[in-house]
Amino acid sequence: MMLSVDRLSFSFGQRPVLRDISFSIPHGQMVSLLGPNGTGKSTLFRCILGLLTGYSGSVLVDGKNTARIRLSDMARLIAYIPQVHYPAFNFTVLDMVLMGTSSRFSALYMPGEREKEKALLSLEMMGIQDLALRNYMMISGGEQQLVLMARALSQDSRLLIMDEPTASLDFGNQTRVMQCVRSLTSKGYTILQATHNPNQAIMFSDQIMAMSGGRIIAQGEPGDVMNAALIEEIYGIRVRVECMDDGKTRYCVPVFE
Amino acid sequence: MDNNKYHGRSQRLILLAMAVLLLGGILVSFKLGRYPVPMKETVGILISRVFPIEPFWPERMATVLFNVRLPRILLACLVGCSLSSAGAAYQGIFQNPMAAPDILGASSGAAFGAALAILSGASTRIIMLSAFLFSLLTVGLVWLVSQRTRGKKTLGLVLSGIMVSSLFSAGTSFFKLVADPADQLPAITYWLMGSLSGARMSDITFVILPMLLGLVPLIILRWRINILSLGDDEARTLGVNVRRLRLIVIVSATLVTSSAVAVSGTIGWVGLVIPHLSRKLVGSSFRHLMPSSMLFGALFLLLVDNISRNIFPVEIPIGILTAFIGAPFFLYLIVKGDARG
């Protein structure tokens, strides 16, 4: 298993946020996590990434308990891909990606030739090597997301955690970015992403997990778990789940009375 | 990878050009002043310190050069280098291109310390020491307060910086109120304007150690400041020990600022404007931004100090001149809306 979370619970003060969460993700799978706003998806990610401590239960990455791993070693186990955001300074794309290599050398050094090659290779894997010398703030949102993914690749960790990677992207870029993400599983990467788009979850993932009220309420292959009842339970709206292409593609649409 | 464009060659050329300009600027500055020293003599006197050559200049010329101009030139360069590198460092850790070296109260603490020492009739040396120590004390206090704040740590630092600063500024105002208007009050006022006049070699020996103690870590850790500027969570997932690194950078930038302010008074704007201009020249990565801020800051303050001591019949405190240059530049930034650099 690439990621095993076992009976994880977490509270902010007296308020429980995560309740007894257990799941595991095999190597090379892409898993989508669905859940309403405020249900604890980001908190769960922050626990897994080691940004929050003080939870009960355990998080194992590739068999290693993350509670006993130093930050710099963690960076080589898990990479975090945030939503597209504006950094305070206008770094070049290459510099942004180079920052992913930083856990590989001591704080007294700077990235050298080896790291540069690594960064350029990561950009190439995302198909955006031409952007290397552009300014990060001058490229499109979709390209920025790909840069953040290239940075994660240059980190050399095999588990990628993404918090709504396509939240601020247009329809075309959402699909392009998700195809890129999907293609990474065949290169040995394991991916856990939070998403608000059930159709994206159905189309691109091997497994779907649904969270509500700080618990995992469903987990399994998209064909098995995605039905109207589950989506209604998560989001509180009425939906219809339809099939097309002889059942190969499923999609859900809201129903209006 | 035979392509040179990935290797930051243009940035290195710019840094080299800055270093050459700075050396040239220093050489020319020796010549400038009320007592004229021709270039040939200047070079001769400087070389005579290393190689024994027969003096072809009057003794007085060498005295002016070594006891008056050399300390002043060195101090202008050191203070400029310190203020702008500290500004760049603070901008990085606060993820804000508008941060300046006095953001954590280093300047108002130093002003308080200087005013207190002037009020108690201390010597120049004690005034300097008091300014330095109170500057460190103020930032230390800000740090301690910020550790008890909830939520975002950098915001806590900035807010407690503002509060503690205004507390010490109020203290300085009180000292001005009770100071003897015949001699103490003008001394405090003049100190607050910031000036390099009367610089002596002993001033340099006083500040050089704390300055180097701060400048060296800032240069060594400059790549990691890039990562700090992405924010705490992202930096930590990239494997950076955010708390430790931020503390080291703050301590270094504070040492550098406090020692600069202690010898020169409050010279504003350098720490804000120079990192901005540097970003335009070499880009935002601290790999080149930090050394560029240092060289450019030294060059800038040397230039302004030359104006301050040569252009006008009465010397204008350098703090006033930097503000005259800094404020219009700041307005220009606002109008252009290009504050991100």
Side-chain angles (χ1 to χ4, degrees):
Chain A
M1 287 293 149
M2 190 66 208
L3 174 66
S4 307
V5 172
D6 190 34
R7 278 170 301 156
L8 187 144
S9 297
F10 180 83
S11 314
F12 277 120
Q14 294 297 311
R15 190 170 60 89
V17 183
L18 302 174
R19 303 158 196 257
D20 203 27
I21 287 186
S22 298
F23 65 89
S24 48
I25 302 176
H27 288 269
Q29 278 212 354
M30 162 135 184
V31 176
S32 293
L33 178 63
L34 289 168
N37 291 126
T39 194
K41 297 188 299 295
S42 297
T43 307
L44 173 62
F45 283 2
R46 287 167 57 82
C47 287
I48 294 173
L49 289 161
L51 296 175
L52 281 176
T53 50
Y55 53 81
S56 64
S58 64
V59 176
L60 270 66
V61 177
D62 217 1
K64 300 178 193 77
N65 191 329
T66 58
R68 286 194 278 273
I69 299 176
R70 290 187 324 176
L71 267 176
S72 53
D73 295 328
M74 273 289 270
R76 271 172 286 182
L77 280 178
I78 316 181
Y80 172 63
I81 301 169
Q83 278 179 38
V84 165
H85 58 84
Y86 287 101
F89 303 105
N90 196 359
F91 296 115
T92 64
V93 165
L94 182 61
D95 279 332
M96 264 319 245
V97 179
L98 276 172
M99 289 188 214
T101 65
S102 299
S103 65
R104 295 150 59 91
F105 48 86
S106 130
L108 306 181
Y109 294 94
M110 288 195 291
E113 283 312 306
R114 281 224 326 263
E115 283 75 26
K116 257 178 216 164
E117 266 171 56
K118 179 115 212 141
L120 289 170
L121 201 71
S122 304
L123 282 169
E124 213 176 302
M125 277 173 78
M126 288 289 110
I128 49 169
Q129 62 274 30
D130 296 344
L131 298 179
L133 294 176
R134 297 274 298 281
N135 281 325
Y136 178 77
M137 280 196 272
M138 305 295 171
I139 59 179
S140 76
E143 290 167 337
Q144 288 176 334
Q145 191 64 63
L146 294 177
V147 172
L148 293 179
M149 284 170 52
R151 186 180 77 187
L153 298 186
S154 76
Q155 227 171 301
D156 256 357
S157 45
R158 294 277 137 182
L159 175 60
L160 311 181
I161 293 200
M162 304 193 270
D163 203 353
E164 296 166 41
T166 60
S168 58
L169 304 185
D170 70 37
F171 189 61
N173 277 331
Q174 285 185 17
T175 310
R176 272 187 282 274
V177 167
M178 285 322 289
Q179 279 175 317
C180 252
V181 172
R182 176 72 233 185
S183 72
L184 289 175
T185 55
S186 60
K187 290 173 181 134
Y189 289 92
T190 307
I191 293 151
L192 171 61
Q193 73 149 347
T195 178
H196 283 311
N197 184 341
N199 289 324
Q200 205 181 68
I202 298 170
M203 246 175 278
F204 293 103
S205 21
D206 300 302
Q207 259 195 80
I208 288 179
M209 288 195 297
M211 236 178 121
S212 181
R215 292 175 205 279
I216 303 271
I217 55 168
Q219 183 181 4
E221 285 177 27
D224 298 337
V225 294
M226 280 310 261
N227 53 47
L230 179 67
I231 293 172
E232 284 173 25
E233 190 183 345
I234 301 174
Y235 298 110
I237 52 159
R238 302 241 306 124
V239 295
R240 232 171 45 214
V241 175
E242 299 281 340
C243 295
M244 58 185 209
D245 299 340
D246 298 329
K248 268 182 269 166
T249 310
R250 286 149 63 96
Y251 62 96
C252 84
V253 285
V255 178
F256 306 101
E257 272 101 26
Chain B
M1 273 220 319
D2 51 0
N3 203 334
N4 272 323
K5 66 185 176 175
Y6 293 127
H7 297 263
R9 256 179 39 150
S10 62
Q11 279 97 338
R12 283 209 287 272
L13 272 178
I14 292 172
L15 288 179
L16 187 70
M18 276 183 190
V20 170
L21 269 176
L22 181 61
L23 283 178
I26 289 173
L27 212 56
V28 170
S29 301
F30 276 116
K31 254 174 72 68
L32 301 173
R34 228 143 282 155
Y35 182 84
V37 183
M39 190 54 103
K40 193 176 136 206
E41 276 77 0
T42 303
V43 175
I45 294 170
L46 288 178
I47 290 174
S48 75
R49 273 293 160 121
V50 188
F51 302 103
I53 52 172
E54 195 59 31
F56 54 89
W57 54 83
E59 182 57 34
R60 191 175 139 78
M61 210 174 254
T63 312
V64 167
L65 214 64
F66 278 112
N67 296 349
V68 182
R69 285 198 195 143
L70 179 67
R72 177 111 188 209
I73 289 167
L74 281 180
L75 205 62
C77 291
L78 283 174
V79 169
C81 166
S82 299
L83 289 177
S84 55
S85 60
Y90 282 134
Q91 288 171 8
I93 51 174
F94 291 112
Q95 301 151 48
N96 189 338
M98 290 294 146
D102 49 5
I103 188 166
L104 295 182
S107 296
S108 44
F112 180 91
L116 180 67
I118 292 171
L119 205 63
S120 48
S123 66
T124 328
R125 176 49 35 88
I126 299 297
I127 294 171
M128 209 177 275
L129 189 68
S130 167
F132 179 65
L133 293 179
F134 270 95
S135 181
L136 293 182
L137 183 84
T138 310
V139 180
L141 206 61
V142 168
W143 170 262
L144 283 180
V145 173
S146 78
Q147 288 309 98
R148 303 189 71 90
T149 58
R150 291 161 156 271
K152 212 177 153 200
K153 277 284 169 277
T154 47
L155 187 65
L157 268 169
V158 172
L159 289 179
S160 56
I162 294 171
M163 295 309 154
V164 176
S165 275
S166 64
L167 209 62
F168 278 89
S169 298
T172 309
S173 297
F174 178 75
F175 289 148
K176 284 165 86 174
L177 184 73
V178 297
D180 183 345
D183 51 357
Q184 289 173 341
L185 186 57
I188 295 175
T189 310
Y190 192 74
W191 192 94
L192 288 174
M193 285 176 192
S195 173
L196 296 169
S197 69
R200 287 167 307 172
M201 233 30 206
S202 60
D203 297 343
I204 310 261
T205 50
F206 176 76
V207 291
I208 192 81
L209 191 69
M211 271 182 184
L212 285 180
L213 272 176
L215 290 173
V216 170
L218 288 185
I219 271 288
I220 290 178
L221 296 170
R222 65 192 192 276
W223 172 257
R224 299 258 149 157
I225 300 177
N226 283 333
I227 302 172
L228 269 191
S229 82
L230 297 176
D232 287 18
D233 278 1
E234 225 173 305
R236 285 174 66 191
T237 61
L238 290 170
V240 169
N241 187 334
V242 170
R243 281 174 61 90
R244 192 177 63 190
L245 182 61
R246 184 159 55 215
L247 184 61
I248 296 174
V249 173
I250 287 178
V251 168
S252 307
T254 301
L255 267 176
V256 159
T257 310
S258 298
S259 33
V261 177
V263 281
S264 67
T266 45
I267 298 178
W269 297 102
V270 181
L272 178 66
V273 171
I274 298 301
H276 268 291
L277 289 176
S278 290
R279 249 178 231 117
K280 296 261 175 257
L281 287 170
V282 298
S284 293
S285 170
F286 282 87
R287 180 201 286 256
H288 299 115
L289 180 64
M290 194 54 87
S292 153
S293 293
M294 287 176 177
L295 290 169
F296 201 179
L299 185 63
F300 175 78
L301 213 64
L302 182 65
L303 190 81
V304 179
D305 189 48
N306 279 334
I307 296 173
S308 146
R309 68 188 171 96
N310 291 311
I311 304 273
F312 306 101
V314 179
E315 181 170 328
I316 300 203
I318 193 168
I320 295 179
L321 281 178
T322 54
F324 268 132
I325 298 170
F329 179 78
F330 194 76
L331 290 173
Y332 167 78
L333 280 185
I334 295 171
V335 174
K336 278 260 295 188
D338 194 16
R340 281 169 186 276

